[in-house]
């Protein structure tokens, strides 16, 4: 699936919920299915700067696709990074760099987060794009 197709699926899933309490619960559930980062990658180098809670993201390349794993010490944040990893993992560096993140606004996530969590979300997206740029520049 392309990034856009995955993002469309996420938007569709979120549209099934009537209120934000249900959406928060869904985000927390998504965090539970997150492909967990190996403990050896829970280092300061892999912490997302700008998040109020700790979020670790690790990326490696596998057959020209970038595979992300992550974890967080906060359940809601774990769900947020889970959404991003679902959208961007197993994609090429170029596809990640070219992808927009309008789906975040479409599901209303940014506007329903505290300012510090919203900043953290932006930092997570930035870090995912930085990983893609790093892998692309190696070629």
């Amino acid at each position: 699936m392309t990034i856009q197709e995955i993002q469309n699926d996420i938007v569709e899933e979120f549209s099934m919920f009537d209120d934000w309490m249900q959406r928060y619960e869904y985000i927390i559930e998504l965090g539970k299915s997150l492909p967990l980062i190996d403990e050896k990658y829970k280092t300061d180098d892999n912490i997302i700067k700008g998040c109020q809670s700790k979020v670790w993201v690790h990326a490696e390349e596998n057959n020209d696709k970038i595979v992300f794993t992550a974890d967080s010490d906060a359940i809601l944040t774990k769900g947020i990074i889970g959404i991003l990893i679902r959208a961007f993992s197993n994609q090429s560096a170029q596809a990640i760099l070219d992808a927009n993140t309008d789906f975040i606004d479409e599901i209303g996530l940014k506007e329903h987060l505290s300012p510090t969590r919203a900043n953290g979300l932006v930092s997570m997206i930035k870090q995912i794009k930085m990983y893609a740029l790093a892998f692309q520049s190696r070629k």
Side-chain angles (χ1 to χ4, degrees), residues 26-86:
Y26 185 60
I27 292 169
I28 290 166
E29 283 304 308
L30 290 174
K32 292 176 182 173
S33 63
L34 178 67
L36 280 188
I37 193 168
D38 190 307
E39 286 297 318
K40 71 182 178 192
Y41 298 123
K42 282 190 173 183
T43 63
D44 287 347
D45 289 343
N46 289 329
I47 285 185
I48 305 279
K49 312 292 185 266
C51 286
Q52 97 183 28
S53 47
K54 285 189 176 174
V55 181
W56 298 269
V57 176
H58 173 71
E60 52 191 50
E61 204 167 25
N62 188 353
N63 296 325
D64 290 329
K65 304 282 188 205
I66 300 175
V67 179
F68 293 99
T69 54
D71 198 5
S72 175
D73 61 355
I75 56 171
L76 187 63
T77 307
K78 194 172 184 171
I80 294 168
I81 192 65
I83 292 169
L84 295 176
I85 284 182
R86 179 173 160 200

Side-chain angles (χ1 to χ4, degrees), residues 113-128:
L113 294 175
S114 67
T116 51
R117 281 230 165 86
N119 287 342
L121 171 63
V122 170
S123 296
M124 290 179 216
I125 293 168
K126 204 178 288 181
Q127 187 60 48
I128 287 170

